Amino acid sequence: MDKFDILKKYFGYPDFREGQETLIDSILSGKDVLGIMPTGAGKSICYQVPALLLPGITLVVSPLISLMKDQVHALNQAGIHAAYINSSLSESQISKALQLAAAGQYKIIYVAPERLETYEFLTFVERVEISMLTVDEAHCISQWGQDFRPSYLKIVQFINRLRKRPIISAFTATATENVKEDIVCVLGLENPYILVTGFDRKNLYFAVESPKKKDSYVINYIREHDTQSGIIYCATRKNVEKLYEKLKDEGVAVTKYHAGLESEERKKNQEDFIYDNCPVMIATNAFGMGIDKSNVRYVIHYNMPQSLENYYQEAGRAGRDGERAECILLYSAQDVAINRFLLDNKEQNSEYTKEEIDAVRERDEERLQAMIFYCMTTNCLREYILKYFGEKGNSYCGNCLNCNREYEESDVTHAAKSIISCILEARQRYGINVIAGILAGDERAKLREYGVFSYKSYGNLREMNEVEIKRIINYMLTEGLLFQTNDKYMLLKISPEADEVLHGNRSVIMKKAKTEPEKEKESAVKSKSSSKTRRSDTLNSRGLELFEQLRELRTAIAREEGMPPYIIFADKSLVDMCVKVPLNKSDMLKVSGVGENKYARYGERFLDVIREYTGGVREKFYFGNP
């Protein structure tokens, strides 16, 4: 059996996606690899397929129990024997799993990093052949990454203890150039094949909104997407609880997740979301890593995250099935203050020196500033994200709010000159709030204390309010005319490029969104990815009706077997059934995601529904070409 046979038989796919085959071939040739691929690109296939072709066992180090369970459930559903070793199992269950693995029962074992150093596990690996060690969510090993986990350093110690070094493969969805270098160096990858397939998720629609009432926005959005599953991220537990109660009062089938809940409640709430009992999840960033729920149609950030790494990872939990989904960030100036407070009170690794702690804090501040600029930019949001991760984007993607919004250009050169002059007059000693207050001619006591009322620049932009002045300052920051110090004071400084403006050699032209009706501002944007619109792009009314019947069957099977519905079949597979209209086994095996094992388990039941609906006569349930 070769890699193509395995792909079709177990996973039900006729072809590999971009990058998968080259990574698999590199592993099979004995090379270490690092795959940086966006969420939903099929990273797991890259190590699962070679794991079945290599002679011994593949160990997959994974950071979260939920991720392991999902992956092992999916593999077992596909007919591949796999197991996981983590704290959710009793010691006797772990011993039994290791005995079966030693007897050749399992080709793939998922393991928590903490388990690698236990005596029983070390004894086990001495008795078996470890062909490959795969590090999932590999960015967790970087001390300079946004999600560093000290337990991941145990992987390196574990590899050094093995009598024979296995192939090392590492995978992540988000890694800047620095984090990529950390992964290679810390893991000790030997002459690795490195593949970066790109960070672009073309199926995701990005938007930054600033509604006056965030709660109203969220409630309206959910009403307009009531058949869909989504995640709403909040910065604090308090916000999670508050929004959860509001949505519950509105009759929304909603659940919640944060570190303050008891573990049993967290587990139940997570399962309610995964099994679609409660399609809306409100959570802090404690929720999500490893959640392989493929039909999340939207992710809303109620508060701005602390970094673009965090944002893109969390937003990327939408649309894992490759279908269109929305990622909306609700921004307010208060979010900046909340994040600064959280960073100032962030628990530091006790092993860090003072210099390392200072360096980490400076890096955190740089990431936060990049996140603020994302919320402020009027340019293409997708391009901003891609450039941050070192990838070239187009100035127009056509699938973000900024590309679809109408703007008018405004010459703010005069205001920009006043801002630069004021910063220089203040000897670059103040931040945005003070500079804006000086220029607006504000008379608050703090400014009197600073003695700025005598400045020549005091009140120079009195015709504007402070919000407008701050907007121009933020634009100048994004354009590199100004910069801020990387400390809690965030003092405004002049860049060399500002001289061109001051001396009349450069104009400052700012784009401003055209005024929208208040009603449109306060209500959620009509989704481009609602289930009806999304499927009706492909399926006609008869096709949509068949899809609903297939989805009802999938839900019934999921309840019978205690499995998440998307592990039975993804929405994409159900749509493909409606397009291909299989009437026999041969037809069904041509459907995307239907392998031999899944056909044996479920194929006939889905065929029965299709035959009954069509009367055994194939008809066209889609528009255009399939």
Side-chain angles (χ1 to χ4, degrees), residues 43 223 466:
K43 291 186 288 295
R223 281 176 181 155
E466 288 190 41

Side-chain angles (χ1 to χ4, degrees), residues 31-78:
K31 284 182 72 71
D32 288 352
V33 304
L34 169 58
I36 301 174
M37 308 164 78
T39 303
K43 291 186 288 295
S44 57
I45 291 285
C46 298
Y47 59 82
Q48 289 169 352
V49 168
L52 299 180
L53 292 168
L54 292 169
I57 293 171
T58 289
L59 298 179
V60 182
V61 181
S62 184
L64 286 183
I65 290 172
S66 57
L67 174 62
M68 298 186 208
K69 286 184 174 179
D70 266 8
Q71 292 277 9
V72 169
H73 279 323
L75 286 169
N76 287 329
Q77 285 285 303

Side-chain angles (χ1 to χ4, degrees), residues 114-353:
E114 295 83 2
R115 286 278 153 185
L116 295 175
E117 60 182 2
T118 62
Y119 175 77
E120 186 173 21
F121 196 80
L122 289 170
T123 303
F124 160 72
V125 296
E126 283 294 319
R127 293 184 289 129
V128 298
E129 180 183 2
I130 306 298
S131 299
M132 177 167 63
L133 186 140
T134 296
V135 183
D136 203 5
E137 306 290 354
H139 63 275
C140 293
I141 205 164
S142 172
Q143 295 190 38
W144 307 117
Q146 84 282 6
D147 200 26
F148 171 59
R149 297 185 178 225
S151 61
Y152 258 53
L153 297 177
K154 300 180 192 301
I155 299 170
V156 183
Q157 299 163 18
F158 175 76
I159 293 170
N160 293 335
R161 285 180 172 180
L162 295 175
R163 66 174 185 272
K164 180 186 175 186
R165 185 184 185 276
I167 298 164
I168 311 296
S169 59
F171 298 90
T172 182
T174 52
T176 58
E177 193 63 31
N178 288 336
V179 172
K180 182 176 80 173
E181 289 175 7
D182 263 9
I183 293 169
V184 172
C185 294
V186 178
L187 271 180
L189 300 184
E190 297 179 356
N191 191 27
Y193 174 72
I194 300 174
L195 179 72
V196 182
T197 60
F199 292 94
D200 193 6
R201 299 275 306 283
K202 290 183 172 62
N203 62 313
L204 299 185
Y205 170 84
F206 293 99
V208 176
E209 299 275 15
S210 298
K212 289 182 181 176
K213 298 177 181 176
K214 289 186 179 183
D215 291 353
S216 299
Y217 184 102
V218 171
I219 289 166
N220 289 337
Y221 187 97
I222 290 173
R223 281 176 181 155
E224 291 174 6
H225 302 77
D226 58 349
T227 63
Q228 296 181 349
S229 181
I231 304 171
I232 303 165
Y233 280 107
C234 298
T236 64
R237 300 176 191 179
K238 183 179 177 181
N239 279 348
V240 169
E241 293 289 348
K242 179 171 71 77
L243 190 56
Y244 168 75
E245 292 298 332
K246 284 205 172 188
L247 291 182
K248 200 169 69 166
D249 290 344
E250 292 287 330
V252 176
V254 62
T255 188
K256 60 184 176 179
Y257 190 105
H258 59 70
L261 301 176
E262 294 293 329
S263 59
E264 280 304 308
E265 185 178 1
R266 286 201 307 272
K267 180 182 175 184
K268 178 187 180 301
N269 293 352
Q270 180 170 297
E271 289 180 350
D272 280 345
F273 176 67
I274 288 171
Y275 286 78
D276 282 334
N277 298 327
C278 295
V280 179
M281 167 64 80
I282 303 176
T284 61
N285 61 8
F287 174 79
M289 185 187 283
I291 298 301
D292 196 21
K293 191 177 195 310
S294 62
N295 66 333
V296 175
R297 296 268 65 85
Y298 61 86
V299 171
I300 296 175
H301 278 79
Y302 188 85
N303 304 107
M304 180 188 75
Q306 292 175 2
S307 70
L308 264 171
E309 289 95 333
N310 286 343
Y311 177 66
Y312 203 47
Q313 187 178 64
E314 291 158 12
R317 284 160 195 152
R320 290 177 68 102
D321 54 7
E323 300 297 316
R324 284 178 291 180
E326 289 196 340
C327 308
I328 300 171
L329 197 163
L330 305 183
Y331 173 75
S332 69
Q334 188 184 11
D335 293 339
V336 179
I338 291 171
N339 279 313
R340 288 235 158 79
F341 173 82
L342 293 173
L343 288 178
D344 288 339
N345 292 276
K346 178 179 172 182
E347 187 178 342
Q348 296 291 350
N349 189 321
S350 59
E351 297 175 8
Y352 282 179
T353 64

